[in-house]
Amino acid sequence: MLTIFTPMAKKWMPYVMAVSLLTLCNLFYFRDQLAGKKIIAQDEISYLGTAAELQQYYNANHEQSLWTNSLFGGMPTYQIDKLPLGWTPLQTLKSFIGLNTAPMLYYFIGMSLLCLLLLCICGINIWLAAIGAFAFTYATDHAVLAIVGHYTKLDALMFLPLILGGLILVFEQRLLLGFILFTLGLIFNLQANHLQMTYYILLASLVYVIIECTYAYRSGQWKRIIKSGSTLGIGVSIAILANIAHLYTTYDYAQDTVRGKKILTTESTAVVQSPTTGLSWTYAAESSNGFLDVLAMIIPGVVGGSSAEKIPSRSAIDYQFQRARPPIAEPHLASLYWGELPVTAGPSYAGIVSFVLFLFGAFYVQGRIKYWAVATLIFLAIQSLGDNFFLNKVFFEYLPFYNRFRTPNSILLVATSIIPLFGFYALHRAMLGTWNRASILVVFKKSVFPLLGFLGIVFVAGWMFFDFTRPGDDLVWNDQAALISTRRTLMLGDTIRTFLLACGTAAALYLVLSKQIKLAYFISVLAILMLLDLWPISLRYLYDKSHKEDKVVQKEIKRRNTDLVILRDRDPYFRVLDLSVNTYSDAKASMYHKSVGGYHPAKLRRYSDVIDKYLLAQDTGVLAMLNTKYIIDPNNVVKKNPAANGNVWFVDTVIPVSNPNEELDRLGTTDLTKTAIVLAEDFPGYLDSTTFTPSGSIKLTSYSANRLQYQSNATTPQFAIFSDIWYGPDKGWQAFIDDQAVDHIRANYILRALKVPAGIHTIEFKFYPTKVLTMIKLNKVVQWMVSIALLVGLLYLIVKFKRSKGIAASI
């Protein structure tokens, strides 16, 4: 037994050690998280705010609500929380990938192990693969995502190695393994429900498919392409079906958001609705990289790093911090960023060590993978420029669904991933080649030497050609000369740092290719260079003091005195306008109240229109219509609004209008306590009279997030306006009078309205999205089928492995 076990142990021991080292590295990096501390990330706090009512509902009912009234008057929760899909074996597998750890640590462990798996499958030396996996994981933008709390982006990016690796393996005719990796990667990527990242990854994949098809056209290998394309097509179909509920709700909901079809028309157009869909180019391209921002992929501080950058030691501002009395606690932060983005939490730094390997491979490696990596990197870098590159608007307008996404700079998240993946693939190919001094220098003259020359130019240009300023600098730091000097210090210091690391990498590469040092020594040197390259830059943004004790986190989200004042009101349902924060980009008020504002990147289109036209101007009539009972002024003082209309009221007049523009415009010129505005063509036959005689009463008697109950008592038929957000038709809200289903309509552009018969009646609104619930059931069935198929496939591979005594025959 021992003689059989020992050779096997020797064979697998390097893999076990590599996995262990990467895991320990991640555990050390997130050691504060293991100690129970948390990162106070703005997006995490926003999530706690937007999901507060959902958590309360779940605690009380032990089920998930699909609607919340805590932000923007009310909206579905499809893009706030995950759908209630229940447990499947796929979920257990996904948890296992990140060793079932807590978020953040889970994502980093998952990225490390999946990238290691991909590089090993490509035949790369296990220790080089481990260094490559570290390079992929600790690209600076991953640390930046962690500090700002972009969990879903990290979740989606975590499976990029599986998708790209599976894609390549399928086209290399390793169909079974490639199919499994590609399909699982895409399933888990889609589960993250960050379709923007999925779209960018698929763009990178499309470039590879185009290159493969071009090669097939030239070589006449169409059978290979058809076989590979069919395999990938099946994988995509399975991944879509395994995520049908998320995809359906995202698509269905998007039609009614700012990313869907526009409702209003411009003054110069007819009253017919505009066919334009998606975001406007101006809005979508707000966060466009400048050319120097792209350069930050190899020089992290070239444009100042971030809008809250750690001050370089011995810089002008650092000197001022040191002289401050009383002393200012570290970390010392300031907005050193002077690039073209409105704001940034950090650069998309891929690492100069990886880039040197990438550039070397671009001039040495031949074949389709090289062309894909270089073309994709250039394409994604150009796309990140947004409105700073003239062709990007064409892609935005004509690529399907591309105009649903904003912040073009985020596409670099995929670009920085490609650099280490191809860089270490190129290193692997170089190790297989035969080299001498002359052949090495030939490649170096095309790659490394021009890079070093370029870095020298940047260093000189930093002194001579850049002014290191941007609008609003007077609000950043009083001493403008110190601010400019500190920015220059950061840029020049990082340029020198990059230059030295590039020289070290090139020297180590030269020595190992020329056989002057052994591979083991090269691996050790490369590991040290990679650690020196990426670890300090990541720690600039996700540093030790980023993690806070739980009591500090609780202090950040605790109730303010203003919240306590409002919470004394025992009324279960009214709205609050919080002017002490950025009302429509901050979810703090949503944490404890039903907010007029909030934070979410996909607001309902109609509500967004009302914000733009009325709420930003604090129109008193529209605020009253929304039952805004309390207003928190900019000084954090609570003011009660006696004009609030309440939860529901009867009106005496219904004004029919002929188009959405008129429907919205009338809100500003109409007494909304007595009159309702209805777009008649949307609800034909519902209004048989436009005049009512208000009498009796109607009031809210029971409240929960997805169920509202009212009691009415009137001697004549009435027309009731509810201060609840319209979402329909047929999107889930159902109206009942005395348990009998009835139709309800939209009034006042964004509210629900209902004809109420004379007498005493119980009126109920329930949110029961039948189509969504059906998709959830279908999703569960498909995931179980995929789980069973995966189990059968794994058993087949195990049997093949045992029979062949090797993995090559099984794939």
Side-chain angles (χ1 to χ4, degrees), residues 499-652:
F499 181 86
L500 294 176
L501 285 168
C503 288
T505 306
L509 185 60
Y510 175 84
L511 291 174
V512 73
L513 293 181
S514 61
K515 308 298 183 183
Q516 296 185 49
I517 61 173
K518 294 181 179 180
L519 178 61
Y521 294 139
F522 170 74
I523 290 174
S524 300
V525 171
L526 186 64
I528 293 171
L529 288 170
M530 190 66 74
L531 193 66
L532 292 173
D533 184 12
L534 294 176
W535 196 278
I537 305 301
S538 290
L539 288 176
R540 285 185 187 175
Y541 306 99
L542 192 60
Y543 42 84
D544 290 344
K545 292 187 179 181
S546 302
H547 292 80
K548 306 294 183 182
E549 299 284 354
D550 188 61
K551 61 182 180 181
V552 178
V553 178
Q554 294 304 316
K555 183 179 179 181
E556 181 74 16
I557 63 176
K558 75 174 184 178
R559 298 172 179 176
R560 302 164 293 176
N561 290 334
T562 51
D563 299 320
L564 295 173
V565 170
I566 296 171
L567 290 171
R568 291 179 193 145
D569 193 324
R570 307 323 298 172
D571 183 348
Y573 189 27
F574 55 83
R575 293 195 179 90
V576 174
L577 175 66
D578 190 351
L579 300 175
S580 69
V581 296
N582 191 344
T583 309
Y584 303 103
S585 298
D586 193 300
K588 186 167 290 185
S590 300
M591 200 166 293
Y592 303 110
H593 314 294
K594 282 75 175 175
S595 178
V596 172
Y599 171 76
H600 199 275
K603 298 186 287 289
L604 289 170
R605 168 80 72 178
R606 285 182 173 275
Y607 198 87
S608 181
D609 291 340
V610 171
I611 290 174
D612 293 340
K613 191 170 181 67
Y614 294 107
L615 294 181
L616 289 175
Q618 299 176 39
D619 184 278
T620 55
V622 173
L623 287 172
M625 177 189 83
L626 289 170
N627 192 23
T628 308
K629 193 174 182 179
Y630 292 95
I631 298 173
I632 303 174
D633 74 10
N635 297 316
N636 256 306
V637 177
V638 177
K639 297 179 180 179
K640 191 170 183 178
N641 179 19
N645 290 9
N647 301 112
V648 58
W649 62 96
F650 293 140
V651 296
D652 55 27

Side-chain angles (χ1 to χ4, degrees), residues 321-395:
F321 269 115
Q322 299 298 334
R323 292 182 61 191
R325 293 293 180 270
I328 300 173
E330 294 186 355
H332 297 154
L333 305 175
S335 182
L336 299 187
Y337 179 72
W338 53 279
E340 296 195 30
L341 295 170
V343 65
T344 181
S348 291
Y349 179 61
I352 188 60
V353 175
S354 295
F355 188 75
V356 168
L357 299 178
F358 180 97
L359 200 60
F360 179 85
F363 289 94
Y364 166 68
V365 176
Q366 298 300 316
R368 303 184 297 281
I369 292 181
K370 188 273 286 287
Y371 297 128
W372 163 75
V374 174
T376 302
L377 181 63
I378 294 172
F379 174 70
L380 295 181
I382 289 174
Q383 286 298 293
S384 78
L385 296 172
D387 58 5
N388 290 315
F389 190 79
F390 68 101
L391 284 179
N392 287 341
K393 188 176 181 180
V394 176
F395 286 103

Side-chain angles (χ1 to χ4, degrees), residues 13-28:
M13 187 57 67
Y15 296 89
V16 173
M17 292 178 64
V19 169
S20 300
L21 285 173
L22 285 171
T23 302
L24 289 172
C25 181
N26 287 301
L27 292 175
F28 179 77

Side-chain angles (χ1 to χ4, degrees), residues 192-210:
N193 204 27
H194 200 296
L195 294 184
Q196 184 171 6
M197 287 298 104
T198 303
Y199 193 94
Y200 292 158
I201 292 171
L202 292 180
L203 274 183
S205 303
L206 179 62
V207 175
Y208 186 79
V209 172
I210 292 172

Side-chain angles (χ1 to χ4, degrees), residues 14-15 17-19 21-22 112 115-117 119-120 124-137 424 523 527 530:
Y15 296 89
M17 292 178 64
V19 169
L21 285 173
L22 285 171
S112 297
C115 187
L116 179 69
L117 173 65
L119 295 177
C120 287
I124 297 175
N125 173 284
I126 180 60
W127 299 113
L128 291 177
I131 299 172
F134 177 89
F136 172 81
T137 305
F424 278 83
I523 290 174
M530 190 66 74

Side-chain angles (χ1 to χ4, degrees), residues 153-298:
K153 279 186 177 179
L154 283 169
D155 197 1
L157 289 167
M158 173 176 160
F159 298 100
L160 181 146
L162 287 188
I163 295 173
L164 294 183
L167 178 74
I168 293 170
L169 289 174
V170 166
F171 277 104
E172 293 293 328
Q173 298 304 288
R174 300 171 70 180
L175 297 176
L176 181 56
L177 182 60
F179 171 78
I180 291 174
L181 293 182
F182 178 82
T183 305
L184 280 177
L186 190 54
I187 287 174
F188 293 147
N189 173 275
L190 288 171
Q191 282 182 0
N193 204 27
H194 200 296
L195 294 184
Q196 184 171 6
M197 287 298 104
T198 303
Y199 193 94
Y200 292 158
I201 292 171
L202 292 180
L203 274 183
S205 303
L206 179 62
V207 175
Y208 186 79
V209 172
I210 292 172
I211 289 173
E212 285 286 353
C213 290
T214 302
Y215 177 84
Y217 174 77
R218 291 179 175 177
S219 60
Q221 297 182 11
W222 284 109
K223 289 184 178 180
R224 182 177 68 87
I225 294 299
I226 293 172
K227 188 185 296 184
S228 300
S230 301
T231 303
L232 293 173
I234 294 171
V236 170
S237 300
I238 291 174
I240 290 173
L241 289 173
N243 289 278
I244 191 66
H246 282 302
L247 294 174
Y248 172 78
T249 52
T250 299
Y251 172 79
D252 187 55
Y253 174 63
Q255 309 310 306
D256 295 280
T257 71
V258 293
R259 298 167 190 254
K261 188 175 182 180
K262 292 182 180 178
I263 298 169
L264 301 175
T265 57
T266 60
E267 294 179 0
S268 61
T269 62
V271 296
V272 180
Q273 288 193 0
S274 168
T276 305
T277 60
L279 303 172
S280 71
W281 172 242
T282 302
Y283 173 70
E286 279 180 354
S287 293
S288 296
N289 278 329
F291 286 92
L292 285 179
D293 291 300
V294 175
L295 185 58
M297 294 174 72
I298 60 173

